[in-house]
Structure formats: structure tokens, C-alpha cells
Amino acid sequence: MEKEKIDKKDHILDVAERVFAEHGFDGASTRLISGEAGVNMAMLNYYFGSKEGLLLSIFERRTATFRDLIHVIGKNESISSWQKVVEYIEAYIGRVFNNNCFQKMIHQEMSVRRTGELADKITNMIMLNVNEFRKILHEGIEKGEFKRDIDTDMVVATVFGVKSQLLNAPQICSLMLGYDTQDPQNMEEKLKPRVIDYLKKLLKSYLLIENDNAK
Amino acid sequence: MEKEKIDKKDHILDVAERVFAEHGFDGASTRLISGEAGVNMAMLNYYFGSKEGLLLSIFERRTATFRDLIHVIGKNESISSWQKVVEYIEAYIGRVFNNNCFQKMIHQEMSVRRTGELADKITNMIMLNVNEFRKILHEGIEKGEFKRDIDTDMVVATVFGVKSQLLNAPQICSLMLGYDTQDPQNMEEKLKPRVIDYLKKLLKSYLLIENDNAK
DNA sequence: TTAAGTTAATCAATCGTTTGATTAATTTTG
DNA sequence: CAAAATTAATCAAACGATTGATTAACTTAA
């Protein structure tokens, strides 16, 4: 009764994603990755060509899953802009916290000066998200649903920034909240719903025109 | 008319801080640092003992400058909690954007799993800031100045997160805002005042009890 | 048999660090 | 003061270790 015989390449990608997230690209040696994955070192080059090819494969696998999930929210004409914002927050935070290792890794890669194919792909992927969120915000302004003087770009930076802070500064985050935010159960049951709830209330108070004089 | 004869150790620290911020600790080789600084490689070990010692020296220099600047705001009894928040934002963002290389470096270090003396020192320094901000927020709640149901820890994460997003994802940030946010002049004249203004408006709408019915 | 999968051994390159020698600056001594 | 002695600063070269990558032999599976 051995371990489930899942695809070995997928297993390597899973492990590498975690090790890259923990040590950074430069800090994660191919020996460490192959050791953690329980495979021979040469298998990394056999499957993925090179260390950078491995990183690229991780990226491709994740983006392929969520590529066409982006535009669904903005397309729904029957809901208000504010509801779109709510759905975007729930979708984005939900997705990001489920792949927190990948997100951590991506954020680290963006933080160091790199050029080339992968750097451009990462930038493009994130800009897809950015532009989708911006479109919702601009639409809400034009419809008179949101205040006219809101800083849409900073709102985007806020959602992305809060996520980065919670994922990429886990020691600080754990000390602040009083529990281990790296623990998958805590992240899923405590941190994720709290972040979603907070971002909704925060943006609601900043974006919406207060017209409920009958409160 | 040669170059200003400033302290050579300080010069190395300046350069190393920038190179660490650009390439990360593991990505920045001692040869690259010494080359950029125009000094012999052995000087790094001669002055700082090791590569990690160099990183530690960078940290010590910056923290020594701002160690006692933390508690000044909270001590002022004559201003409201909201004014304290405003002053904290202005002080924190102003300070952080003036040492953006250092901040970038610190955030990268926190993002990778490291243990030891430096990791603890970094955590402690940041928690000083965190606790100071939290104290202001709790005080505002107790005084009835802020809403009772605000998530103080998430507010802290917001300020820190927005800063991290703007500094550590410069490509995204530049694309979003339409100018090079790495350029010192843009950062000082355009980005910094915009962030300060935004955070004030954002937190004002989230924290304050809306009691100005005579608006 | 053939091709794909897997391994240990090995490669050149680069890593952080150390060395011994040399020069510059400072202090001590007569 | 000046010469001698001592310390500090700087350098080219090399160190052992580790890096990502490759090889060639071997095993497995179709």
C-alpha cells in the first residue's frame, strides 16, 4: 500500500512551488528541491530542461487553470458595480489563499530585478487582474455608484498589498493575529474569511456614496 | 577635484543596500557588491566579517537612526486619535519612501524562511511599528472616536501592505500609474504625496464615526 | 528490441571566504 | 624632530564548497 501514484511531474511541481516560496528562487537549490521531492536531481533537467524551466512550468500550470476565470465577473450585467467588487474580492482572495505558495513565489520574483520571458509573463498575468479590477471601479464611477474622487489605482494596490502583506510576511502576521497564519487550517477558516470581510467593509466605506439617509 | 571623501564603510553599506534590494540576498554575490562599490572583494569580509554581517550592518545603521522616533506620536496627549493616525501615516510613509531600498530589502528578507539573530531583529523592529500603530487605533476605539467594530490588525496590514505593494512590485506599479515609480523624483513628488493622501481618506472613511450631520 | 525513465558520477562555473604580501597611516621611541 | 615600530587598509590570488547542468551506464516498460 504505497503512496498514491499521481503524476510525478505534478509532484515535483508541487514540491518546487513550496520550496521556491520558502527560500526564494536563488535560495532554493536544485539539490534541495529534488531531495524534498524524493527524486534524483537529474530528473529536474530531464523534465523541465533547467531550473528556470522548472519555474516557468510552475507558472504555466497555475495560469492555465485560472486563465479564463478572470472575465466572468465583469461580464455579468445584472449586478451592481459594488456587487462586482464584492465578487471580485471573494474570487481573488479565495483563489490566492488556496495557492498561497504560488502567490508567495510570484511576489518574490516580482520583487527582484529580473528580465526575460518569465518576468514579462508574470507582469502580464498580474496586469490582467489589475485591469479587470480597474474596469469594475471605473464603471462604478461612471454609473454614479461610486464617489467620483476615489483613487482607483490605489484601491487596486490596497487589495493586492493586503494580500502580499498577509502571505509574504507570515512571522509578522502570526505575531499580530495571535496564531500561526501559515497553518492551512487557520488560513482557510480564520484568516481568509476575515480578510474578505474586512476588505468588503473597508472598500464599501471608501467607494460607495452614502445615500442611506434613513439609517 | 575628486569625489567627496565620505566614509568608505558607509559607501559600501549604501551600495550593498541597493544591490540587495535589487537582487535579493541570495541573488547578490559579494563580487557584484564589491564591484559596484568599487572596492576589493576582501574588504567586505575585512569590514563586516561575512556577507550576513554586511546585511546585519545595513540593518543596524538604519534602525539606529529611527530607533527613538517611534514613540513620539503616541505620546502627544493634546491631539485626537485620528490626528495621531494622520501623523503616523505621514511619518511612516515619509520615512519608508526615503529609504526605499532598505525597505525593499527588509521585505524580501521577511519573505524567505530564515532563522537566527537577524531574522529576530527584523521582526522585533517591525513589531515596534505595528504595536505603536495598534495602540493608537485601540485608543481611538476606547475614546469612542473610532467605530467599535473596526479590524485594527487588518488596518495595520493595510498600511504596511500598500507600502509593500508600491515598493516591492515596481513594474506593476509603474504600469498601473503610468510613470516610472522607481525614479527618485517621481517617487518623492508624485507617488509619496498620493499615497499619503489616499491612506488618509481611506482610513478616515473606515475608522471615523460619521457624526458630521451638518455637512 | 526500443524508447523512456532513472541513477550515480562528474563537469565547469561560481559561490563566500581566506590567505600572504604590500602599501598607507599612525604611534612610539630616541 | 626623525627614524623605527606598529597598526590599519588594500590587493591579487587561491581556497574548499556548492551551484546548475551533463554524462554514461543502467533499469523499466511497451
Side-chain angles (χ1 to χ4, degrees):
Chain A
M1 187 63 64
E2 308 208 342
K3 67 171 74 175
E4 286 280 330
K5 185 60 184 177
I6 58 171
D7 188 41
K8 180 173 277 187
K9 287 174 76 170
D10 261 1
H11 172 64
I12 295 177
L13 290 175
D14 286 338
V15 173
E17 193 176 79
R18 199 197 73 231
V19 177
F20 278 146
E22 285 178 354
H23 299 83
F25 182 78
D26 294 308
S29 69
T30 55
R31 281 170 178 79
L32 177 60
I33 296 173
S34 60
E36 294 266 313
V39 301
N40 190 277
M41 208 174 44
M43 299 307 295
L44 303 188
N45 294 305
Y46 178 75
Y47 280 134
F48 310 106
S50 66
K51 187 184 180 184
E52 191 175 335
L54 172 59
L55 186 66
L56 190 63
S57 293
I58 295 175
F59 180 79
E60 298 290 359
R61 183 180 64 153
R62 288 289 178 209
T63 50
T65 314
F66 300 111
R67 190 162 313 215
D68 37 26
L69 200 75
I70 305 279
H71 288 279
V72 289
I73 298 171
K75 288 285 181 294
N76 191 340
E77 300 283 352
S78 62
I79 61 176
S80 67
S81 290
W82 169 245
Q83 275 179 302
K84 287 183 182 177
V85 170
V86 169
E87 286 197 16
Y88 181 87
I89 290 174
E90 289 175 347
Y92 177 73
I93 298 294
R95 165 156 56 106
V96 151
F97 275 64
N98 284 344
N99 309 288
N100 59 82
C101 282
F102 177 68
Q103 290 293 328
K104 228 180 132 176
M105 192 192 81
I106 291 294
H107 188 261
Q108 286 179 5
E109 269 306 290
M110 278 198 313
S111 194
V112 295
R113 176 187 294 285
R114 292 231 164 84
T115 54
E117 179 191 11
L118 181 59
D120 292 342
K121 285 192 175 184
I122 292 179
T123 301
N124 288 337
M125 181 195 69
I126 297 178
M127 284 308 290
L128 272 182
N129 257 317
V130 167
N131 289 329
E132 193 62 25
F133 194 15
R134 283 210 288 192
K135 213 178 66 183
I136 297 176
L137 294 174
H138 287 141
E139 191 182 286
I141 296 177
E142 288 174 10
K143 293 201 299 182
E145 198 176 327
F146 296 159
K147 296 173 189 160
R148 248 199 316 274
D149 63 340
I150 62 175
D151 193 331
T152 55
D153 293 332
M154 287 294 149
V155 171
V156 176
T158 300
V159 176
F160 283 52
V162 168
K163 160 232 131 193
S164 301
Q165 184 67 18
L166 298 179
L167 289 186
N168 288 72
Q171 312 97 318
I172 300 295
C173 188
S174 296
L175 277 176
M176 205 165 61
L177 301 184
Y179 56 85
D180 180 16
T181 57
Q182 301 260 62
D183 176 73
Q185 188 175 349
N186 284 338
M187 184 172 288
E188 180 65 27
E189 297 178 3
K190 304 172 86 171
L191 186 55
K192 193 206 277 189
R194 181 169 172 180
V195 175
I196 291 177
D197 183 63
Y198 166 72
L199 283 177
K200 283 196 274 189
K201 288 177 180 167
L202 176 73
L203 295 192
K204 184 176 187 177
S205 66
Y206 178 74
L207 295 176
L208 286 183
I209 294 177
E210 58 286 346
N211 54 0
D212 48 355
N213 39 15
K215 172 61 184 296
Chain B
M1 187 62 64
E2 308 208 346
K3 68 171 71 174
E4 286 279 331
K5 185 59 182 176
I6 58 171
D7 187 41
K8 178 170 280 189
K9 286 173 78 168
D10 261 1
H11 171 64
I12 294 177
L13 290 175
D14 286 337
V15 173
E17 193 175 79
R18 199 197 72 231
V19 177
F20 278 144
E22 286 177 354
H23 299 84
F25 182 78
D26 295 307
S29 69
T30 56
R31 283 170 177 80
L32 178 60
I33 296 172
S34 59
E36 294 266 313
V39 302
N40 189 277
M41 213 173 37
M43 299 310 296
L44 303 188
N45 296 84
Y46 178 75
Y47 280 132
F48 310 106
S50 66
K51 187 185 181 184
E52 191 174 336
L54 172 59
L55 186 66
L56 190 63
S57 293
I58 295 175
F59 180 80
E60 298 290 359
R61 184 179 64 155
R62 288 288 178 210
T63 51
T65 313
F66 300 111
R67 189 160 315 215
D68 38 26
L69 200 75
I70 306 279
H71 289 279
V72 289
I73 298 172
K75 288 286 182 294
N76 192 341
E77 300 283 353
S78 63
I79 61 176
S80 68
S81 290
W82 169 245
Q83 274 179 301
K84 286 182 183 178
V85 170
V86 169
E87 286 196 17
Y88 180 87
I89 290 175
E90 289 175 347
Y92 177 73
I93 297 294
R95 166 156 54 104
V96 152
F97 274 64
N98 284 344
N99 309 289
N100 59 81
C101 283
F102 177 67
Q103 291 293 328
K104 230 182 130 177
M105 192 192 81
I106 292 295
H107 187 261
Q108 286 179 5
E109 269 306 291
M110 277 199 313
S111 194
V112 295
R113 176 187 292 286
R114 292 231 163 82
T115 55
E117 180 191 11
L118 181 58
D120 293 342
K121 285 191 175 184
I122 292 178
T123 301
N124 289 336
M125 181 195 69
I126 297 178
M127 284 308 290
L128 272 183
N129 257 319
V130 168
N131 289 329
E132 192 62 25
F133 194 14
R134 283 209 287 192
K135 215 178 64 185
I136 296 175
L137 294 174
H138 288 141
E139 192 183 285
I141 296 177
E142 289 174 10
K143 294 201 300 182
E145 199 177 325
F146 297 159
K147 296 173 189 161
R148 248 198 317 274
D149 64 339
I150 63 175
D151 192 332
T152 55
D153 292 333
M154 286 295 150
V155 172
V156 176
T158 301
V159 175
F160 282 52
V162 168
K163 160 232 131 192
S164 301
Q165 184 67 18
L166 297 179
L167 289 186
N168 287 72
Q171 311 97 315
I172 300 296
C173 188
S174 296
L175 276 177
M176 204 165 61
L177 301 183
Y179 55 85
D180 179 17
T181 57
Q182 302 260 62
D183 177 73
Q185 188 175 348
N186 284 338
M187 183 172 289
E188 180 65 28
E189 298 178 3
K190 304 173 87 171
L191 187 55
K192 192 206 278 188
R194 181 170 172 180
V195 175
I196 292 177
D197 184 63
Y198 166 72
L199 284 177
K200 284 195 275 189
K201 288 177 180 169
L202 177 73
L203 295 192
K204 185 177 187 178
S205 66
Y206 178 74
L207 295 176
L208 286 183
I209 295 176
E210 58 287 346
N211 54 1
D212 48 354
N213 39 15
K215 170 63 183 299

